[in-house]
Amino acid sequence: MTSGEFFQFTSPQRTEAGLQALDRLPNLLRSLGLSKPLLITDMGVRKAGLTELISSILQASGGMRFADEFDSVPPDSDTGTIADLARYWHAGTFDCLLALGGGSVIDTAKAGNILISTGKDDLYQFQGYDNIPGPLKPLIVIPTTAGTGSEATSVSVIKDAERHRKLAFCSPWLVPTAAVLDPRMTMTLSKAITAATGMDALAHAVESYIGLAKNPFSDSFALRAVELISKFLPVSLKAPHDREARLQMLTASHLAGIAFSNSMVSLVHTIGHCAGAVCGIPHGVCMGILLPEALRFNLHRSASHIGEMLLPLAGRDISLAVPREEHPERFILALKEFRQHIHELSENTLPLRFCDIRDSMDSPVMTPEHMILIAREAAGDPSRFYNPEDISEAEIHAVLKASYWGYSLDQDLVKKGHQK
Amino acid sequence: MGTAASRIYLSLLFWVTGRAVQAAWRTDREVRREFDRLPDLFSFRLSVYPSGPGLTIMKKEGTVRYIRQGEEGPADLHMMIKSLSHGMSLFTFQESTALSASRGRIAIYGDLSYACSIVRVLDRVEIYLLPRVIAKRAVKRYESPPAKHRKRFMIYLRVLFSP
């Protein structure tokens, strides 16, 4: 985007962040005039004891409590769960939704809120971009991972249980009313999840900085997110109980969420969504593997933007030591070095190539047939709108192959577009 | 350009583009492939908010038809350009459909994966309709289709004379 061009930016949300931020939850609810929250969560969060912690915080503040709990959100939530949630809401008396969990829980709460607030039972009619007619019920979100950023975004993606595809909803009305970022919620995450979700947050920040919808506001959020991830993801892995590092990662994920909610994501997610759907590879793992080669694909179109991220990722010393024209290539190298570092800190639980991901029979999870299918499916992923360069099925296949084996994409294979 | 002139200009461009989509489906293998991804009885509308000119395309019983204004029903996928000026930016080919959508100038009601196919169709059609120097601005990536001039001639003929 150049000066004088139109852009829009939405971030209407209240954020409470701090080492003890959840202690302010009762106050937050009261200040919003809310007293009967429906808790939405999953069994993993419940087993980790996080619901009890929040329950005790509410109890300690004048006997406040959840009006009820909906804890049957699956890892990859679908339209059936959304319908169940809406029915659950209408069967009780609630005045807000309180989502406690990772991406699936938060997206379920957002999509459920569409049905709850509109009183409709057909989620399909709200698919698309700017297709929700007005404000929804208050939604408070407490993220339990530092990566999805969904607590800050205007997007919800849900699996269509009948048609076996993803339904995407994108509207400013989907931005939650408030988010509470408290490191006590992420302290018990395993190294594998910490690493993968951290790479997801990094992908959000990087892609929002190079996409077609980038703007000066989202840029500032994205750059700060890259800087925080660069500093605090390694610390979160070295010292999982470092509360400050965990809080900074939640903050980074939130900033990246605000950035990509406004400027969207592109090629890494185009391929990553489909690789996840076809092969069942965790989203954050896909992001970490695909990021360098997807950036290399866009190098001819976004070199200056890619180069501008070298300073926040690699720091002043490297940034000053490298001539400016080499910053884009150096950024991709720095990204690979960072990823390698995270891989080692996570005790090798963050795969660096698709070929390293094996099933229980030690066979590769992604096969050549899968790659063909992923390339075909990616044609229908809406994030491709936002990629700086158009991309064909053959090119997606080339990026996948490079990411599968871990070699650098041959830039000569990329057909260059013409638009400014 | 004044509002009335803009509306007349856009009405003409929507008519030509709508007819050209129908013609390109008969002429170009890539366009046909994109429509093959869409379900039967799928309808698509591109229009200017609130009641501005627009075009509607319907896939029915294996054929793709441009639906005349006034004869269209509710569409499965509706891409609504948010203002007349945004419509002019798009149809004076200052920016591509993808760029316009990514800058929030188009609301999309319906399945976004279908919107991806439709945007590729519109890009392909613009490559046929427009001279290279203009089409390069109107699409994200300009790729000359095989036998472009022959197909362009066929598409123009069908725009003008096909029922």
Side-chain angles (χ1 to χ4, degrees), chain A residues 327-364:
Chain A
H327 278 204
E329 279 285 359
R330 187 66 186 83
F331 175 79
I332 295 175
L333 180 62
L335 192 61
K336 285 186 163 182
E337 290 165 351
F338 179 72
R339 198 179 56 165
Q340 177 69 35
H341 187 44
I342 296 303
H343 169 74
E344 286 159 13
L345 289 173
S346 71
E347 294 163 356
N348 305 339
T349 55
L350 180 76
L352 301 176
R353 306 176 301 177
F354 284 120
C355 67
D356 294 333
I357 306 174
R358 304 265 159 173
D359 62 16
S360 55
M361 308 290 285
D362 201 33
S363 305

Side-chain angles (χ1 to χ4, degrees), chain A residues 149-286:
Chain A
S150 186
E151 76 281 1
T153 72
S154 56
V155 180
S156 174
V157 180
I158 294 294
K159 193 167 74 180
D160 181 347
E162 285 172 23
R163 300 177 206 177
H164 304 289
R165 56 194 307 167
K166 293 282 184 182
L167 303 179
F169 308 90
C170 188
S171 162
W173 299 118
L174 282 173
V175 179
T177 315
V180 185
L181 312 180
D182 188 315
R184 286 176 286 179
M185 297 292 105
T186 58
M187 211 82 93
T188 55
L189 289 177
S190 67
K191 288 196 172 189
I193 294 178
T194 301
T197 50
M199 293 310 291
D200 188 19
L202 184 60
H204 291 154
V206 168
E207 289 218 283
S208 71
Y209 196 74
I210 67 161
L212 283 182
K214 75 197 266 34
N215 64 66
F217 284 38
S218 66
D219 284 355
S220 58
F221 285 86
L223 289 178
R224 184 69 176 138
V226 172
E227 191 181 355
L228 288 175
I229 293 164
S230 158
K231 276 185 192 160
F232 292 102
L233 182 55
V235 183
S236 295
L237 288 162
K238 274 185 221 161
H241 292 282
D242 185 323
R243 298 171 75 178
E244 182 62 33
R246 291 289 192 180
L247 175 62
Q248 294 299 340
M249 277 307 296
L250 276 168
T251 306
S253 165
H254 193 72
L255 291 171
I258 294 173
F260 95 80
S261 179
N262 284 280
S263 51
M264 298 296 156
V265 286
S266 47
L267 184 56
V268 180
H269 281 76
T270 307
I271 305 175
H273 288 152
C274 302
V278 171
C279 304
I281 301 169
H283 180 69
V285 170
C286 291

Side-chain angles (χ1 to χ4, degrees), chain A residues 5 129-130 165 387 390, chain B residues 82 103 108 113 140-141:
Chain A
E5 286 176 0
Y129 195 90
D130 278 347
R165 56 194 307 167
N387 198 59
D390 206 359
Chain B
K82 290 182 182 173
R103 287 180 174 166
I108 302 175
S113 65
K140 207 177 199 181
R141 174 195 277 178

Side-chain angles (χ1 to χ4, degrees), chain A residues 30-72:
Chain A
R30 269 192 213 104
S31 69
L32 294 168
L34 305 170
S35 59
K36 297 187 194 100
L38 170 62
L39 177 73
I40 299 150
T41 190
D42 60 36
M43 289 312 288
V45 170
R46 179 176 285 289
K47 280 180 189 154
L50 302 182
T51 49
E52 280 172 30
L53 174 64
I54 295 172
S55 198
S56 64
I57 289 169
L58 289 177
Q59 275 287 340
S61 175
M64 217 182 217
R65 60 187 179 84
F66 304 126
D68 207 342
E69 300 175 18
F70 180 88
D71 61 7
S72 50

